[in-house]
Amino acid sequence: MNFSWWSFALQAANFLILVWLLRRFLFKPVSAIVARRKEEIARGVAEASAEKQKALNLQRELQAQRAAIEAERQKAIEEQGTQLAAERMKMLDEARADAEKIRNQATTQLSEERATAAQELFSRTIELAVNLAERLLRGLAFPSIERAFLTRVLDYLDHLSAEERAALVAHLGETALVVTTAHPLDAQEEAQWSEQLGKRIGAGGGIKFNSDSALIAGAEITLPSAVLRFSWRDALTTAAREINRNEHAG
Amino acid sequence: MNPSPLQTAILFHIGIVPISRTVVTTWGLMAVLSVASWIVTRSFRVDAGGWQAMVETVVAGIEEQIAALLNRDAAPFLPLLGTLFIFLVVANLCGIVPGVTAPTASIETPAALAAIVFLSVHFYGVRIQGVGAYLKGYLRPNPVMLPFNILSELTRTFSLAMRLFGNIMSEEMAVAIIVAMAGLLVPIPFMAFGILVGLVQAYIFSVLATVFIGGGIGAIKK
């Protein structure tokens, strides 16, 4: 065995050259691609992290929007409820007012109708009473009763003052005095009426005599300026008027 | 034909420089490794394919082993130690190719590699620790140990070379003797065993070189 220093030197040089060659064609490309891969992974991780953060931000934003929408919905519901309650109260108040108004109107109308009915009933009652009284009085009204009424007429005229009598007989000479009785007077009775009336109020124009059974009993003396009524008809009419007036006043 | 298996066969001369079979084989291996590396790495992509994944796995595995032994970033040491391991694997295993003799079966190749490792220890030690701090390492644990430390440096380099040379040369010689005595098929189990020996020796040489450099830079206690 011998040792070749030339081979030793050449092998050493060969190895150093191989170190350079592999460093150039193997280790550097591998390190570069590994570094590039790490860089891309890091970039991918960073991008994923950014996307995740973006998604989280978006999620938070959506949650905030959802909460805002929910709050707005609740607020709208509450406002709507308040508005509906107010409108309901208003409608109830209006309905109550309308009902009260209708009730008042109905009450008023009912009262008026009741009053009218009562008035009609009362008037009808008075009318019936007057008719009843008239029928009763007709049964009592004999022709001879006219003399009693002549007495009442004369008594009335006797108690008039001078001014009242003057006013009563004014213009009497121009027209005739009309005496209307319930029963036709005979000649004697007419003469008696003419004599007595002529004594008290004159009657220069003459006296005319009529009869009207509607008077029931009594007489009416028609003067130019007034009509003197002394009959049961007038008494009944006056009584009915007085009763109605008292009823209305009450 | 070589008169002795331990004799270096000279194929030709360049001037006064004799070119042996070992050197020519080494040139061939250098060419194969360089061209293969260039072919594989020129089409590297971020999404690695089959070959790229295998190459990256091998390189990353070597880098992790170096980093694990040195307890530091392996990038500055990767070209030297990585090339050493790859070259030794290829050089040790090329002997199974008929007609090719493993370069590491010649004493000059392990000696040259051991010499480079020896110089690299001092280079990295001085570069990383500084001259003073590095040289002080030879005085520890006390100055009396200086001659022994120097002797240790020399003997471990010598043993590094001789271990590789002895194993590979003896394995090749054994296969050659068996082929000569028993024919063609009988040496196959021995050749398979030779593959194992070649891989183990490449690993041992590379690990020891890493440990020596680690001791030189202070990463590993001497």
Side-chain angles (χ1 to χ4, degrees):
Chain A
M1 174 181 171
N2 58 353
F3 187 86
S4 170
W5 288 100
W6 281 112
S7 294
F8 173 80
L10 285 172
Q11 287 297 77
N14 286 339
F15 180 75
L16 292 177
I17 291 169
L18 183 63
V19 167
W20 182 83
L21 288 171
L22 291 190
R23 182 172 179 271
R24 171 75 176 79
F25 294 114
L26 180 63
F27 297 118
K28 265 193 173 181
V30 170
S31 299
I33 200 69
V34 169
R36 188 175 157 198
R37 186 178 295 123
K38 285 181 179 175
E39 184 183 342
E40 290 202 1
I41 289 171
R43 188 166 60 243
V45 169
E47 286 177 357
S49 179
E51 287 293 326
K52 183 182 176 184
Q53 188 60 38
K54 191 176 174 184
L56 287 173
N57 290 338
L58 190 60
Q59 186 184 12
R60 277 196 287 269
E61 191 177 339
L62 286 174
Q63 285 175 344
Q65 284 181 357
R66 192 181 297 168
I69 289 170
E70 180 64 24
E72 193 173 347
R73 190 176 72 88
Q74 287 295 334
K75 186 180 175 185
I77 289 172
E78 289 174 2
E79 286 179 354
Q80 194 70 21
T82 306
Q83 190 176 353
L84 285 172
E87 286 186 3
R88 188 179 63 185
M89 290 301 296
K90 184 180 175 185
M91 290 175 70
L92 283 172
D93 290 342
E94 288 177 355
R96 283 197 193 97
D98 288 345
E100 186 68 20
K101 186 178 176 184
I102 291 169
R103 194 170 65 85
N104 290 336
Q105 286 177 348
T107 304
T108 304
Q109 187 177 359
L110 188 62
S111 298
E112 289 175 354
E113 288 177 355
R114 190 183 296 166
T116 303
Q119 182 61 36
E120 286 178 358
L121 182 61
F122 188 77
S123 298
R124 182 66 181 157
T125 303
I126 294 301
E127 188 180 347
L128 288 174
V130 168
N131 289 337
L132 181 60
E134 181 183 348
R135 236 180 315 178
L136 291 173
L137 288 175
R138 280 188 190 281
L140 297 173
F142 300 109
S144 59
I145 202 170
E146 304 295 347
R147 281 192 295 275
F149 283 94
L150 176 61
T151 304
R152 283 187 58 193
V153 170
L154 296 177
D155 187 51
Y156 171 77
L157 293 173
D158 290 340
H159 284 87
L160 289 175
S161 62
E163 292 79 17
E164 289 172 340
R165 184 172 299 172
L168 187 66
V169 301
H171 311 294
L172 186 60
E174 299 171 2
T175 58
L177 180 73
V178 179
V179 176
T180 304
T181 58
H183 301 92
L185 298 176
D186 56 17
Q188 186 183 351
E189 288 172 332
E190 287 181 356
Q192 188 180 357
W193 277 86
S194 298
E195 181 185 356
Q196 295 299 327
L197 290 174
K199 285 181 182 175
R200 280 145 178 104
I201 58 176
I207 298 174
K208 289 183 179 178
F209 290 97
N210 289 328
S211 63
D212 185 1
S213 61
L215 297 180
I216 303 171
E220 287 184 357
I221 299 169
T222 305
L223 296 167
S225 57
V227 176
L228 301 178
R229 293 185 175 89
F230 298 95
S231 64
W232 283 353
R233 165 61 58 199
D234 180 57
L236 289 174
T237 304
T238 303
R241 190 165 53 243
E242 285 296 323
I243 290 169
N244 281 324
R245 188 167 58 231
N246 290 336
E247 177 65 21
H248 287 154
Chain B
M1 182 174 176
N2 287 332
S4 164
L6 301 179
Q7 188 76 34
T8 302
I10 303 300
L11 295 182
F12 57 91
H13 285 76
I14 298 177
I16 59 168
V17 180
I19 305 300
S20 65
R21 179 188 293 271
T22 303
V23 173
V24 173
T25 305
T26 302
W27 286 347
L29 295 179
M30 288 169 63
V32 168
L33 286 174
S34 300
V35 171
S37 298
W38 177 69
I39 290 172
V40 171
T41 58
R42 70 175 178 171
S43 59
F44 267 12
R45 300 187 309 271
V46 174
D47 50 336
W51 282 103
Q52 180 181 341
M54 190 189 76
V55 171
E56 284 186 19
T57 302
V58 170
V59 173
I62 294 171
E63 191 170 9
E64 285 177 8
Q65 284 287 318
I66 296 169
L69 287 169
L70 297 182
N71 288 320
R72 58 180 298 160
D73 180 26
F77 311 99
L78 182 62
L80 176 71
L81 296 174
T83 302
L84 184 63
F85 177 72
I86 292 170
F87 174 72
L88 285 174
V89 168
V90 175
N92 290 347
L93 298 184
C94 73
I96 62 175
V97 178
V100 178
T101 303
T104 46
S106 299
I107 185 62
E108 290 87 358
T109 305
L113 297 177
I116 289 172
V117 171
F118 176 79
L119 294 174
S120 298
V121 169
H122 304 305
F123 171 76
Y124 285 117
V126 171
R127 185 178 178 183
I128 292 175
Q129 293 195 85
V131 178
Y134 176 70
L135 292 178
K136 277 183 183 177
Y138 286 95
L139 301 178
R140 283 193 290 265
N142 57 62
V144 177
M145 296 298 290
L146 177 62
F148 299 102
N149 284 334
I150 294 172
L151 185 62
S152 169
E153 292 285 327
L154 295 173
T155 54
R156 76 182 186 184
T157 303
F158 182 75
S159 71
L160 188 66
M162 293 308 293
R163 182 186 303 109
L164 178 63
F165 166 67
N167 279 282
I168 302 301
M169 182 274 294
S170 60
E171 188 271 332
E172 286 220 339
M173 189 173 289
V175 171
I177 292 169
I178 291 169
V179 167
M181 292 175 63
L184 187 61
L185 296 179
V186 176
I188 290 178
F190 289 92
M191 292 174 76
F193 181 71
I195 293 173
L196 179 64
V197 170
L199 291 173
V200 170
Q201 288 305 313
Y203 181 75
I204 289 172
F205 196 100
S206 301
V207 167
L208 286 175
T210 307
V211 170
F212 295 161
I213 291 173
I217 63 174
I220 299 173
K221 292 285 185 185
K222 287 182 181 178

